Amino acid sequence: GLLQCSLNERGELVARAQRMELECGQGLRSWTRETGGSFGVGRARYPDTLLVTTDGRKIYVINIVTMEQYVRGVLAGELGNNHGEGDLEALKAQAVLARTYVLRKTELPIARLFDVHADTRDQVYRGLVATNVVSERAARESAGMALSYEGKYAECYYHGTCGGSTE
C-alpha cells in the first residue's frame, strides 16, 4: 500500500497509510522479508529495509542494505545498464572502487543519519531499477574486494565526466 509521510508542527514524523494515521516521533522502519521483495519510492525500487526518519526539519528515506546490494545499485547508477560481457572487467574494477569508497567513508568520524548520499555528493545509487546481468555478475565476482593503502581503505575518487581533461 501507499505510505504518505509528513512532519507535524513539533517536527515529528506522521505517517498515513490506508485510512490510518501513525504518530512516529523520530522515525518509522519497515522491511521486506520475502526473497526479492522491494519498496517503491517514486519510480525507484529499493531492496531490503527502508527507514523513514526526521531530524525535525526534513524527512529522510534511507535504504538500509548490505554492501553488495549497494554496490549493484551504484554500478547501475554510475555506469548505466547498457553493458555487455566485454565490459565485465571494467565493471568489476568499478565495483571494487565503489565498495572501497563507501568503506572509507564509513570510517570518517561524521555523525549523520546515514552513511552516504545516493547522488553525486557521494555515489549515484539507483537501487534495483537499473541493474542488469553483467553488473550483477561483476558485483558478485568482486564481492568483498576493496583497496587499501598503508593499512586503511584507500581514497578512491572518480568522476563520471571530465570535460575533456584530467590532472
Side-chain angles (χ1 to χ4, degrees):
L2 182 65
L3 177 69
Q4 296 176 319
C5 297
S6 61
L7 294 178
N8 65 20
E9 62 280 348
R10 295 182 307 276
E12 297 171 328
L13 187 65
V14 177
R16 291 174 187 83
Q18 299 175 353
R19 291 181 243 149
M20 189 171 82
E21 186 169 304
L22 304 167
E23 291 281 339
C24 303
Q26 293 300 305
L28 168 70
R29 184 174 176 147
S30 184
W31 62 94
T32 177
R33 291 186 187 266
E34 63 186 78
T35 303
S38 64
F39 293 95
V41 178
R43 292 184 177 170
R45 303 290 311 165
Y46 297 99
D48 205 8
T49 303
L50 210 57
L51 172 65
V52 181
T53 189
T54 182
D55 61 4
R57 296 184 312 269
K58 294 181 182 178
I59 295 174
Y60 297 91
V61 179
I62 301 167
N63 187 202
I64 301 171
V65 294
T66 67
M67 178 63 74
E68 300 313 317
Q69 288 171 318
Y70 175 76
V71 168
R72 287 193 300 272
V74 167
L75 286 178
E78 290 287 345
L79 300 174
N81 65 355
N82 193 18
H83 298 286
E85 285 295 318
D87 301 315
L88 179 62
E89 294 304 317
L91 287 164
K92 285 164 66 173
Q94 184 68 37
V96 171
L97 291 174
R99 195 176 293 108
T100 303
Y101 178 90
V102 76
L103 288 168
R104 169 86 177 177
K105 189 89 177 201
T106 59
E107 286 182 334
L108 299 176
I110 298 173
R112 306 195 277 213
L113 296 170
F114 50 88
D115 295 321
V116 290
H117 291 92
D119 57 26
T120 56
R121 286 174 284 181
D122 284 310
Q123 300 181 107
V124 179
Y125 170 71
R126 297 273 190 236
L128 297 173
V129 173
T131 60
N132 73 16
V133 174
V134 179
S135 62
E136 295 273 340
R137 181 175 165 203
R140 187 175 57 253
E141 289 184 10
S142 68
M145 294 181 190
L147 299 174
S148 65
Y149 178 73
E150 294 183 354
K152 293 177 143 183
Y153 291 113
E155 290 185 64
C156 295
Y157 299 111
Y158 58 89
H159 51 83
T161 58
C162 64
S165 64
T166 59
E167 288 185 20

